[in-house]
Amino acid sequence: MLPDIQLNHRDCKEGMASQPAESFDLVVTSPPYNLGIKYDTYEDRSERSDFITWCLEWAAEINRVMSEEASFFLNLGASPKNPLLPHQLLLALTEAREGESPMFVLQNTFHWIKSISVETKDKGMVSAGHFKPINSKRYVNDCHEYVFHLTKSGEVPLDRRAAGVPYVYKSNIARWGHTQGEDKRCRGNTWFIPYDTIQQRDKDRPHPATFPVALVEQCIKIHGLAESTRMLDPFNGIGSSAIAAMRQNIASYTGYDIDEGYLAVTRQRIEAEQQQTPELL
């Protein structure tokens, strides 16, 4: 069945303010990074203090609409010249203010690996994934971003195996008691998820800062509510979260974006997903 998908051409702060308290189980989003990325209708460059203040405003609404057992997965990237932004925002979201409890608790930190090279046992080299090359004598290519798992209490249970991986050595399944006989282990906090290959950026990825559908699917799986999940993405973009909601067959998805063009692309992607997956019709 197709999830109840609500796409809203609206500022997320205003939109979330109209939602009842504790109306979502899961929030997965990637806000603008304030790194000068060129969006169609948003200026991604402001004073750092102003940017943090703005983030605290929409984060307060996220906190209000989250249930007590909800998870907030916040994807943030940096740039070689501006490496501290993710950490500065994280500190602002988790620090206690005078007379108040912290807005969020950092429960887990995941590293989204976009590109990786691994030396094999026979001294060969395996490289996989994609990265944005830079021409610099000072900095190396940045091949990862953060996904901060924020909750209200820091004690939200997860379904670690739902997003897990099979054991390489099957003898470990019977050898270790923690496996409980299941051929799947916790994936850990390092997620290798490359971008989908595209042929034409304007056609296949008409947004300057998307995240893969598979990244959102990992968040849905590990949170562990399966089909009952009510998910929110305050920065919908071109709808990777909406497609993930469809593929994971969750109950509902709500997305906000101030750019009608991005929402139009989201609707096209939803229609294409339905055509590829007839059972969603």
Side-chain angles (χ1 to χ4, degrees):
M1 294 294 292
L2 181 68
D4 178 16
I5 296 179
Q6 302 292 327
L7 300 178
N8 302 277
H9 182 209
R10 195 174 184 184
D11 179 88
C12 67
K13 289 189 296 181
E14 298 175 359
M16 288 188 288
S18 67
Q19 295 283 354
E22 300 190 21
S23 53
F24 295 98
D25 312 298
L26 177 63
V27 182
V28 184
T29 199
S30 183
Y33 297 167
N34 201 39
L35 298 177
I37 294 173
K38 183 174 175 54
Y39 296 90
D40 287 350
T41 57
Y42 173 75
E43 179 61 39
D44 187 41
R45 192 180 298 277
S46 61
E47 293 296 326
R48 180 60 54 87
S49 60
D50 292 339
F51 177 74
I52 297 293
T53 298
W54 173 69
C55 289
L56 289 174
E57 290 171 353
W58 54 254
E61 282 301 323
I62 288 177
N63 180 277
R64 187 186 66 82
V65 300
M66 284 173 55
S67 69
E68 290 301 314
E69 295 294 300
S71 287
F72 172 22
F73 290 92
L74 176 62
N75 167 225
L76 291 172
S79 72
K81 292 183 179 179
N82 198 356
L84 294 179
L85 175 63
H87 310 288
Q88 290 173 326
L89 178 52
L90 178 66
L91 288 173
L93 293 172
T94 57
E95 67 181 1
R97 288 165 177 76
E98 186 175 353
E100 298 180 358
S101 300
M103 190 184 305
F104 295 104
V105 176
L106 177 63
Q107 188 165 320
N108 289 283
T109 299
F110 298 97
H111 301 270
W112 166 27
I113 309 301
K114 306 176 189 179
S115 175
I116 189 169
S117 295
V118 178
E119 185 175 346
T120 62
K121 292 181 179 180
D122 59 0
K123 302 302 181 181
M125 187 67 68
V126 176
S127 294
H130 308 79
F131 60 88
K132 182 179 180 180
I134 60 173
N135 184 18
S136 172
K137 294 183 178 180
R138 294 183 293 162
Y139 305 118
V140 299
N141 291 324
D142 193 354
C143 300
H144 100 295
E145 292 187 10
Y146 298 97
V147 179
F148 297 122
H149 173 222
L150 302 163
T151 61
K152 291 185 177 182
S153 65
E155 300 180 359
V156 172
L158 299 176
D159 188 350
R160 304 192 310 159
R161 286 181 179 164
V165 294
Y167 285 89
V168 175
Y169 302 106
K170 304 306 181 185
S171 60
N172 287 336
I173 301 170
R175 180 180 302 151
W176 303 111
H178 68 267
T179 68
Q180 298 175 324
E182 185 177 348
D183 185 15
K184 188 173 282 189
R185 63 171 178 82
C186 175
R187 185 180 297 268
N189 66 352
T190 305
W191 293 353
F192 172 58
I193 304 175
Y195 280 116
D196 294 333
T197 301
I198 63 174
Q199 302 299 322
Q200 299 176 347
R201 167 165 283 279
D202 290 345
K203 176 179 179 293
D204 298 331
R205 195 184 296 155
H207 187 283
T210 58
F211 50 23
V213 173
L215 182 69
V216 187
E217 289 189 277
Q218 281 282 86
C219 298
I220 296 172
K221 291 175 183 177
I222 201 168
H223 186 58
L225 292 184
E227 295 182 1
S228 66
T229 305
R230 302 166 298 170
M231 186 169 72
L232 166 70
D233 187 343
F235 300 95
N236 178 86
I238 59 172
S240 292
S241 292
I243 302 304
M246 296 174 68
R247 293 181 183 177
Q248 290 299 310
N249 192 31
I250 66 174
S252 66
Y253 169 78
T254 300
Y256 293 97
D257 209 285
I258 60 173
D259 192 313
E260 176 57 41
Y262 292 157
L263 292 174
V265 174
T266 301
R267 296 185 189 98
Q268 293 170 3
R269 294 182 73 189
I270 289 173
E271 182 178 351
E273 185 74 15
Q274 287 177 302
Q275 293 173 352
Q276 293 175 13
T277 315
E279 58 266 28
L280 294 174
L281 294 173

